[in-house]
Amino acid sequence: MKSRILKFLQDADDILSGEQMSELLGVSRVSVWKHIRSLQAAGYAIEATPKGYRLTDLPDLLQPWGFPGRENRIHCHATVDSTMALARQLAREGCPEFTVVTADRQTGGRGRLGRVWHSSHGGLYFTIVLRPALPAPLSSLTTFAAGLTWACLLQEDYGIDVGLKWPNDLLVRERKLSGMLSEMEALGELVTFVNIGIGLNVNNDPTVEEPNAVSLVQITGKKIPRRDLLAGFLDRFERRMADPHGLDTIIAEWKPFAATLNRPVKIVTIRESIEGVARDVDDSGALLLELTDGSIQRIIHGDCFHQAEAV
Ligand code: BTN
């Protein structure tokens, strides 16, 4: 009901009377008024005039009712330690696929290789629970699908050209817009869940902690509602993941966006650091690194640092 009220108010050119709203929604005027009161309490700027209601400002809020059809699968929090921890608990308790945990802030945001993910106000931080019918060694294909989904969405809906750094950072002009972290549990060979945690710099300034990062507001000069971004991502991503063949061509589709191929890179893993030229990504998502002696090393996990221009 709340999402429908917001949609009517957003689409209205003028004030909407209580009577119009109750007809549109098929509920009493008192019920409309109660929902308006709770939207106001949640932070939506709805002016109540003698003639009716008007939305004066749409705050950048994430609330379950902002995601019609997904209300029962999306858990929106103001502050958490890390959305990864909450999502892991939900996944172990058997939550449905595509359950999402969001947070406006994280006090213990986690990055790859044990790093901290600074989660300042205005960024989009969430974890999505997947239950793909995949053998464990192919579970990382899901993060390639997530990166590709963002690249397509940002290009199509906002005209932003994104480069994908192996395995799954989003770069804009070599600056980091987003990072992803995945956690997987399997029973024997088969995956029981893969949780993908995504941090996207939206209306925040990430450069305070990460000088080489960038946010969408810094790129476009305009604030973008995080709800619109997340809803657009979930629509596209769920469609792909629900398709039994959605991952068949994922690496081939990912490569045109790749910012890592044919350039010198340093790969850092928990154990070692290796330098070479990133030559290709195989069908399982592993990076094929050409070493100085011309041999090819297959890298399954690691963080990648771009060294210089393409070779
Ligand atoms: C990286 O680039 O190092 C990965 C960053 C992943 C950050 C996201 S924010 C939402 C989710 N919760 C976390 O604690 N981390 C991921």
Side-chain angles (χ1 to χ4, degrees), residues 164-219:
L164 295 171
K165 180 162 81 83
W166 184 89
N168 40 41
D169 281 356
L170 266 57
L171 304 183
V172 175
R173 282 179 238 112
E174 289 293 309
R175 295 175 74 185
K176 182 158 167 168
L177 178 67
S178 166
M180 282 178 216
L181 188 65
S182 72
E183 274 183 7
M184 189 262 294
E185 283 191 9
L187 249 186
E189 263 292 279
L190 267 192
V191 167
T192 46
F193 66 82
V194 180
N195 288 354
I196 303 183
I198 299 180
L200 178 76
N201 296 316
V202 184
N203 299 318
N204 54 321
D205 175 5
T207 58
V208 184
E209 290 97 2
E210 299 287 343
N212 203 31
V214 72
S215 65
L216 291 176
V217 70
Q218 291 168 332
I219 296 165

Side-chain angles (χ1 to χ4, degrees), residues 32-294:
V32 170
W33 177 76
K34 281 187 183 159
H35 285 298
I36 297 269
R37 287 291 294 263
S38 84
L39 283 166
Q40 287 171 327
Y44 289 94
I46 301 173
E47 195 185 350
T49 73
K51 283 185 172 173
Y53 305 104
R54 179 171 52 200
L55 187 65
T56 53
D57 187 26
L58 198 57
D60 186 22
L61 293 178
L62 297 179
Q63 301 280 358
W65 63 76
F67 301 87
R70 294 198 177 84
E71 292 96 327
N72 299 330
R73 283 183 285 125
I74 188 155
H75 303 253
C76 300
H77 298 272
T79 305
V80 299
D81 172 38
S82 161
T83 57
M84 298 307 284
L86 294 186
R88 185 198 298 153
Q89 192 183 336
L90 291 170
R92 285 182 177 163
E93 286 166 359
C95 72
E97 180 165 44
F98 305 133
T99 293
V100 175
V101 180
T102 76
D104 294 329
R105 281 171 190 270
Q106 298 182 110
T107 51
R110 288 157 38 197
R112 290 165 55 80
L113 299 181
R115 282 188 305 252
V116 170
W117 180 263
H118 299 283
S119 313
S120 57
H121 193 75
L124 175 61
Y125 313 111
F126 70 99
T127 301
I128 182 165
V129 177
L130 305 175
R131 300 193 184 277
L134 281 177
L138 292 182
S139 67
S140 71
L141 293 181
T142 55
T143 57
F144 285 87
L148 178 66
T149 302
W150 277 119
C152 294
L153 182 156
L154 292 169
Q155 195 173 66
E156 287 161 19
D157 294 1
Y158 299 93
I160 299 169
D161 285 332
V162 166
L164 295 171
K165 180 162 81 83
W166 184 89
N168 40 41
D169 281 356
L170 266 57
L171 304 183
V172 175
R173 282 179 238 112
E174 289 293 309
R175 295 175 74 185
K176 182 158 167 168
L177 178 67
S178 166
M180 282 178 216
L181 188 65
S182 72
E183 274 183 7
M184 189 262 294
E185 283 191 9
L187 249 186
E189 263 292 279
L190 267 192
V191 167
T192 46
F193 66 82
V194 180
N195 288 354
I196 303 183
I198 299 180
L200 178 76
N201 296 316
V202 184
N203 299 318
N204 54 321
D205 175 5
T207 58
V208 184
E209 290 97 2
E210 299 287 343
N212 203 31
V214 72
S215 65
L216 291 176
V217 70
Q218 291 168 332
I219 296 165
T220 62
K222 278 189 282 203
K223 284 195 169 186
I224 298 180
R226 292 172 306 154
R227 190 219 75 93
D228 294 357
L229 289 161
L230 182 54
F233 172 81
L234 295 175
D235 283 349
R236 288 167 156 94
F237 188 57
E238 287 187 20
R239 210 176 311 130
R240 180 181 282 274
M241 294 303 300
D243 176 347
H245 298 291
L247 295 177
D248 290 0
T249 55
I250 196 69
I251 299 298
E253 291 178 67
W254 181 90
K255 281 184 194 174
F257 291 91
T260 300
L261 297 183
N262 294 318
R263 60 188 296 172
V265 295
K266 180 158 83 177
I267 303 295
V268 179
T269 69
I270 289 174
R271 288 189 312 276
E272 57 180 347
S273 165
I274 322 159
E275 294 194 14
V277 177
R279 281 297 175 211
D280 205 356
V281 171
D282 72 15
D283 286 347
S284 71
L287 184 73
L288 303 181
L289 187 69
E290 184 181 313
L291 306 181
T292 42
D293 64 3

